[in-house]
Amino acid sequence: MALFEEEMDTSPMVSSLLSGLANYTNLPQGSREHEEAENNEGGKKKPVQAPRMGTFMGVYLPCLQNIFGVILFLRLTWVVGIAGIMEAFCMVFICCSCTMLTAISMSAIATNGVVPAGGSYYMISRSLGPEFGGAVGLCFYLGTTFAGAMYILGTIEILLAYLFPAMAIFKAEDASGEAAAMLNNMRVYGTCVLTCMATVVFVGVKYVNKFALVFLGCVILSILAIYAGVIKSAFDPPNFPICLLGNRTLSRHGFDVCAKLAWEGNETVTTRLWGLFCSSRFLNATCDEYFTRNNVTEIQGIPGAASGLIKENLWSSYLTKGVIVERRGMPSVGLAEGAPVDMDHPYVFSDMTSYFTLLVGIYFPSVTGIMAGSNRSGDLRDAQKSIPTGTILAIATTSAVYISSVVLFGACIEGVVLRDKFGEAVNGNLVVGTLAWPSPWVIVIGSFFSTCGAGLQSLTGAPRLLQAISRDGIVPFLQVFGHGKANGEPTWALLLTACICEIGILIASLDEVAPILSMFFLMCYMFVNLACAVQTLLRTPNWRPRFRYYHWTLSFLGMSLCLALMFICSWYYALVAMLIAGLIYKYIEYRGAEKEWGDGIRGLSLSAARYALLRLEEGPPHTKNWRPQLLVLVRVDQDQNVVHPQLLSLTSQLKAGKGLTIVGSVLEGTFLDNHPQAQRAEEVSELRPWWGGGRAGHSGRQPLSLYTCSPSHPWDQSGLRLFCHLP
């Protein structure tokens, strides 16, 4: 009820809910402005309306839709099967704790002022400076772009593996070539889908906006279908039998009857399964040794919540690539150690080597998307209240769904089915779909449309983030991407986004792309926490967030957790991401435009300088710590060049690169008379420092430069000496 509190103040809850759903959009703030500009093109501009969105429609639902994604439907069952319930629970808890701590820090920053288009980039750049903001903003842009690639790959995987397998262009001649053929199909279809989605976004975001409610409904209905299936399985489990040879799981693609022999009338005949393991269909044929030694059994793949299966799925079963998925505790007559396994036999094989850190990297993208509310602060009636409430409640809701799903999947689904990533043992069905009620197609179709919607949202949001960075002018070579169509649509940024997204699609593996975007999102969240901690510790005058339930220790804990997760997921990806951010930081520092946003890093420098000066006043300096402090009075010509540069060379030699040098010059006359010359001299001293400039004796250390105006030189020289604390 708290989510509807604002709507109930003006209208009944039901009518407000229906009206909000009719106007629901999941687009970021900049996209809404471009859509309105496009709608008003050629006609009269509509009057500006006050923001009307509340917590539920403006923050909670968009965050919910962005957090739930492809990993929940395609990989969470596999993660539970490989890691076991205990380790999967720890994994989900750590990742959800990371996003919750980040949401607390983000709420503090977002309620300290309006967050325009740019979202996390705006928060970090205005809190930590343009260097950090540009570096992390570009990393977040790359993460959002690769997220689009991940969603598109998920869409193609659902299309080819579960909806229309016959659409595959590349066919494998044998079982060992199926993985390579699937990757090539992903590349071809992924490129086509990316082109279509980019075209839709280019034509206009209003078309993306029209389907926002459909995509949201697909996500919610799919999750409800999973819970309904869990409840139904407790008293009426679905019928999804799986076939085992010994303890080895068999793929259902090549046979129908789970038996070696069958009865036809009064005659014993061999089955299609026999033909897959033997040289012929006759009883005297030569068969595979393991097939001969072991029996074929059939068990239920979904025993249900009341089966007591949870005890068997508590612990991990990590696999190496090419290993057959086996059921623990099942009797089996093994072969000699080192005996080769024929990859063409209809076994369910592990397609990759799995370990805990890899699973963390694959799972983490499923908890991202917490910035959806803060990006829309301009559309909210009361952003100071809606952003913290909606974001934290959305994270709490999704965390509860993920944690409960881990336990329920382990309690309802057989372990070998959980470890079967593509559902080969259950007739090629989506594993989570086998648990859903009333039909597996609810999950398949719902996940297909939800991943399509998430891909469109990524291709809509990423170009606008790049446009916000480009328009700030902190990265000179990106300024071209700040331009676009007449209504502000970022055309060039969309083109670059599509090209980068194509790189992720050419990788073609969802499991390879997920850890890449995990790095960029974790780096962004880490700096959001750092920004909140720095602002809190500095106690800057403009740091007055309305959200009060934050503390710098929580921000540091969130920052440490993000950094730890980066190296847990992949230490080499973490180093590469930090190297990219470091290079961008140094480039902005060297070539970027000077921006003064009152950021925390400059405030930190000021606090450090103040602390050092106060420490110096505590007593006279020791002889060992003495440094020369020189005041150099020079004469400048009309172009503000030093008339006697040899003085600077001599001063450089005297102080030998140590100490402090103040270079001063006196403009004769009053300040009112010489104001233009004094102002020009200050500008020239900033653009072309006196010190060095290629002259001999350049020490690499720029001195302080001072200009002053005085009717007489002796009087102003005394003033300069007094200012510099010199006798």
Side-chain angles (χ1 to χ4, degrees):
M1 292 293 291
L3 296 175
F4 289 99
E5 182 179 351
E6 299 167 6
E7 285 84 349
M8 291 177 67
D9 293 339
T10 56
S11 60
M13 186 175 65
V14 175
S15 62
S16 176
L17 175 62
L18 294 176
S19 175
L21 286 173
N23 299 315
Y24 173 75
T25 174
N26 194 28
L27 298 179
Q29 186 172 332
S31 307
R32 294 287 302 276
E33 296 170 356
H34 295 161
E35 180 188 355
E36 291 171 2
E38 187 174 299
N39 291 335
N40 296 337
E41 188 175 352
K44 296 182 179 180
K45 293 186 177 181
K46 297 180 180 179
V48 178
Q49 297 180 353
R52 297 180 293 109
M53 301 187 73
T55 303
F56 186 73
M57 293 296 172
V59 181
Y60 181 75
L61 287 183
C63 285
L64 214 64
Q65 185 175 353
N66 277 267
I67 295 173
F68 286 132
V70 63
I71 302 298
L72 171 64
F73 302 114
L74 295 184
R75 291 294 182 268
L76 187 57
T77 53
W78 176 73
V79 168
V80 175
I82 296 293
I85 295 175
M86 298 300 293
E87 292 186 23
F89 180 88
C90 294
M91 185 190 311
V92 173
F93 181 78
I94 292 172
C95 294
C96 292
S97 298
C98 175
T99 54
M100 180 61 78
L101 292 172
T102 303
I104 293 173
S105 299
M106 182 197 70
S107 298
I109 298 175
T111 56
N112 193 52
V114 176
V115 180
S120 58
Y121 158 71
Y122 186 89
M123 294 182 194
I124 296 171
S125 62
R126 269 56 175 182
S127 299
L128 296 180
E131 296 87 0
F132 278 108
V136 181
L138 286 176
C139 286
F140 188 64
Y141 161 74
L142 292 175
T144 306
T145 304
F146 274 99
M150 183 188 72
Y151 291 128
I152 292 174
L153 291 175
T155 302
I156 302 305
E157 182 176 317
I158 296 171
L159 179 69
L160 296 180
Y162 307 112
L163 284 175
F164 304 106
M167 288 181 62
I169 299 174
F170 299 92
K171 308 285 186 178
E173 296 181 357
D174 50 28
S176 58
E178 288 181 358
M182 184 64 175
L183 292 179
N184 290 329
N185 286 316
M186 298 280 279
R187 294 184 179 103
V188 173
Y189 279 104
T191 303
C192 296
V193 171
L194 172 63
T195 304
C196 294
M197 287 187 176
T199 303
V200 171
V201 174
F202 173 77
V203 170
V205 294
K206 60 183 178 182
Y207 299 106
V208 181
N209 191 23
K210 290 181 184 298
F211 293 99
L213 185 59
V214 176
F215 299 144
L216 175 64
C218 290
V219 173
I220 296 176
L221 288 177
S222 299
I223 294 172
L224 292 177
I226 294 173
Y227 282 106
V230 170
I231 296 172
K232 181 178 179 293
S233 71
F235 54 87
D236 184 18
N239 183 31
F240 281 98
I242 59 174
C243 191
L244 300 176
L245 176 61
N247 64 351
R248 296 179 176 180
T249 310
L250 296 178
S251 172
R252 282 281 191 174
H253 289 309
F255 63 95
D256 49 358
V257 179
C258 183
K260 295 182 181 181
L261 304 173
W263 290 91
E264 289 186 3
N266 294 326
E267 185 181 1
T268 301
V269 296
T270 59
T271 62
R272 294 178 61 185
L273 181 61
W274 178 283
L276 294 174
F277 284 93
C278 301
S279 58
S280 69
R281 299 293 296 269
F282 299 105
L283 292 174
N284 59 351
T286 303
C287 297
D288 179 76
E289 184 180 359
Y290 188 85
F291 180 78
T292 305
R293 291 184 178 184
N294 291 273
N295 295 323
V296 176
T297 56
E298 192 173 60
I299 63 174
Q300 281 299 324
I302 315 292
S307 62
L309 190 65
I310 189 170
K311 297 179 181 178
E312 299 180 15
N313 293 329
L314 278 177
W315 311 111
S316 61
S317 298
Y318 294 108
L319 304 173
T320 55
K321 185 176 181 179
V323 171
I324 300 173
V325 177
E326 299 178 347
R327 187 176 191 270
R328 288 177 293 191
M330 196 77 175
S332 172
V333 181
L335 302 177
E337 187 175 353
V341 177
D342 191 345
M343 300 292 290
D344 290 330
H345 285 162
Y347 293 122
V348 176
F349 293 95
S350 171
D351 68 324
M352 63 188 303
T353 301
S354 55
Y355 41 90
F356 181 79
T357 56
L358 173 71
L359 298 183
V360 174
I362 293 175
Y363 171 75
F364 187 81
S366 65
V367 298
T368 59
I370 62 175
M371 301 283 185
S374 63
N375 292 348
R376 305 154 60 90
S377 61
D379 298 329
L380 302 174
R381 182 189 303 116
D382 186 0
Q384 308 289 324
K385 178 183 177 183
S386 296
I387 290 177
T389 305
T391 304
I392 292 175
L393 286 177
I395 294 175
T397 303
T398 54
S399 300
V401 170
Y402 283 129
I403 291 174
S404 62
S405 297
V406 167
V407 178
L408 295 175
F409 290 162
C412 297
I413 306 176
E414 178 64 46
V416 291
V417 178
L418 289 173
R419 292 187 286 277
D420 182 8
K421 184 185 293 185
F422 301 106
E424 297 175 74
V426 285
N427 298 318
N429 284 291
L430 183 63
V431 174
V432 68
T434 60
L435 182 62
W437 181 84
S439 169
W441 289 103
V442 176
I443 298 295
V444 174
I445 297 175
S447 59
F448 177 78
F449 282 110
S450 66
T451 49
C452 282
L456 284 170
Q457 291 155 17
S458 297
L459 291 178
T460 303
R464 283 155 182 80
L465 176 59
L466 180 62
Q467 185 183 48
I469 299 173
S470 303
R471 287 182 172 178
D472 270 345
I474 60 175
V475 185
F477 71 87
L478 290 180
Q479 291 185 2
V480 65
F481 298 107
H483 306 292
K485 294 194 293 187
N487 63 344
E489 193 78 13
T491 307
W492 293 108
L494 175 62
L495 180 62
L496 178 64
T497 301
C499 292
I500 298 175
C501 192
E502 177 65 19
I503 297 174
I505 288 175
L506 292 178
I507 296 174
S509 173
L510 189 149
D511 301 316
E512 296 291 336
V513 173
I516 297 176
L517 65 99
S518 294
M519 292 299 109
F520 294 125
F521 278 119
L522 281 167
M523 180 172 292
C524 175
Y525 295 166
M526 180 178 70
F527 278 95
V528 168
N529 284 292
L530 176 62
C532 180
V534 168
Q535 295 281 30
T536 304
L537 290 175
L538 288 178
R539 299 179 181 176
T540 52
N542 67 329
W543 178 247
R544 296 188 300 272
R546 185 173 171 182
F547 180 72
R548 298 297 181 185
Y549 303 102
Y550 72 95
H551 196 268
W552 66 268
T553 55
L554 294 177
S555 299
F556 268 112
L557 179 60
M559 182 184 67
S560 304
L561 194 56
C562 290
L563 184 62
L565 281 174
M566 287 180 65
F567 283 92
I568 287 174
C569 294
S570 174
W571 64 268
Y572 47 89
Y573 277 165
L575 292 178
V576 170
M578 295 176 74
L579 177 63
I580 293 174
L583 292 175
I584 298 172
Y585 178 94
K586 295 305 294 183
Y587 176 81
I588 295 174
E589 186 180 47
Y590 179 68
R591 293 291 304 274
E594 281 291 329
K595 297 288 184 180
E596 182 54 57
W597 289 325
D599 54 86
I601 296 299
R602 284 172 173 78
L604 187 62
S605 301
L606 179 62
S607 298
R610 176 180 174 274
Y611 175 77
L613 289 173
L614 292 176
R615 287 292 301 274
L616 289 176
E617 292 292 333
E618 292 179 359
H622 193 273
T623 306
K624 295 180 181 179
N625 296 324
W626 180 84
R627 299 291 187 273
Q629 300 181 31
L630 305 176
L631 172 62
V632 183
L633 299 175
V634 297
R635 184 188 300 274
V636 295
D637 57 18
Q638 293 180 349
D639 296 328
Q640 310 305 322
N641 293 318
V642 179
V643 177
H644 302 292
Q646 295 83 1
L647 281 173
L648 303 179
S649 300
L650 174 63
T651 305
S652 176
Q653 295 173 13
L654 285 175
K655 75 184 189 70
K658 304 294 191 297
L660 177 66
T661 302
I662 300 176
V663 179
S665 182
V666 179
L667 299 178
E668 190 170 357
T670 63
F671 180 78
L672 293 177
D673 295 336
N674 294 323
H675 175 68
Q677 294 86 341
Q679 189 175 14
R680 182 171 177 272
E682 290 290 344
E683 294 174 356
V684 172
S685 66
E686 292 177 1
L687 298 176
R688 187 188 61 211
W690 286 341
W691 194 250
R695 302 183 181 89
H698 175 53
S699 66
R701 298 174 183 269
Q702 181 179 337
L704 299 176
S705 57
L706 295 175
Y707 276 96
T708 184
C709 299
S710 177
S712 63
H713 282 287
W715 174 263
D716 206 82
Q717 291 174 7
S718 301
L720 283 175
R721 290 199 301 271
L722 181 63
F723 176 81
C724 300
H725 295 277
L726 296 176

